[in-house]
C-alpha cells in the first residue's frame, strides 16, 4: 500500500515563498520516481517537477528557477520549495510516485500510479 500525504499549502502574497512536503514510506521516497503536479481551477492537471532515486531533478519551464524539488530519505519526505510565487501558481498541488522504471519525468503523468490527496496553494497578487 503506497500512501502519500502532502502538507504545507496555504495562502501567500505574490513574491512570497512556501515549502510543500510529502511523506511516504522510506522505501518509496528513496527508490521511486517522485513528482509534483498541480491543477488550477478550470484547468487540466500539469506536471511541475520530478526527482529520481539518484536525486536527478527536472522542472517544467513555468517553474524553472523558482521551484526546487528535493527529498530527505532519512525523514521519508519529499519537498517542493516554491519561491517568487506568482498568482498563476495558484493550484491544488499533488505529490505522485511511480515505481522504478527507465524514465522519471513529470512529463508523462500516466506513469504515476500513486497520488496524494493534494494541498492547496493560493497566491494573491
Amino acid at each position: 500500500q503506497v500512501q502519500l500525504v502532502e502538507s504545507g499549502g496555504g495562502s501567500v502574497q505574490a513574491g512570497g515563498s512556501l515549502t510543500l512536503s510529502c511523506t511516504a514510506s522510506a522505501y518509496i521516497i528513496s527508490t521511486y520516481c517522485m513528482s509534483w503536479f498541480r491543477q488550477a481551477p478550470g484547468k487540466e492537471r500539469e506536471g511541475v517537477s520530478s526527482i529520481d532515486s539518484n536525486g536527478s531533478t527536472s522542472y517544467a519551464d513555468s517553474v524553472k528557477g523558482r521551484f526546487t524539488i528535493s527529498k530527505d530519505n532519512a525523514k521519508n519526505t519529499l519537498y517542493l520549495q516554491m519561491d517568487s510565487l506568482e498568482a498563476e501558481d495558484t493550484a491544488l498541488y499533488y505529490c505522485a510516485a511511480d515505481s522504478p522504471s527507465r524514465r522519471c519525468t513529470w512529463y508523462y503523468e500516466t506513469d504515476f500510479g500513486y497520488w496524494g490527496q493534494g494541498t492547496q496553494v493560493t497566491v494573491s497578487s
Side-chain angles (χ1 to χ4, degrees):
Q1 187 83 4
V2 176
Q3 289 188 320
L4 307 174
V5 181
E6 302 100 333
S7 62
S11 297
V12 65
Q13 289 191 330
S17 299
L18 279 175
T19 301
L20 305 183
S21 300
C22 172
T23 57
S25 73
Y27 178 76
I28 297 301
I29 292 294
S30 63
T31 66
Y32 277 42
C33 170
M34 303 299 298
S35 290
W36 289 97
F37 292 81
R38 67 186 183 184
Q39 186 167 21
K43 295 187 177 181
E44 293 187 353
R45 189 162 57 191
E46 62 177 3
V48 174
S49 182
S50 295
I51 185 168
D52 69 13
S53 59
N54 296 318
S56 295
T57 60
S58 62
Y59 298 90
D61 287 344
S62 59
V63 306
K64 199 172 294 183
R66 301 188 298 120
F67 290 10
T68 304
I69 191 171
S70 63
K71 60 180 180 174
D72 188 331
N73 293 340
K75 294 184 178 180
N76 306 343
T77 303
L78 172 75
Y79 301 100
L80 185 68
Q81 173 68 39
M82 304 185 295
D83 298 317
S84 302
L85 282 162
E86 304 168 352
E88 292 73 21
D89 296 317
T90 294
L92 188 61
Y93 283 73
Y94 296 92
C95 168
D98 177 32
S99 55
S101 64
R102 290 179 298 169
R103 68 187 183 191
C104 176
T105 172
W106 50 266
Y107 189 79
Y108 297 103
E109 182 178 331
T110 55
D111 285 356
F112 294 85
Y114 306 102
W115 295 81
Q117 81 289 350
T119 186
Q120 179 67 39
V121 172
T122 302
V123 184
S124 57
S125 57

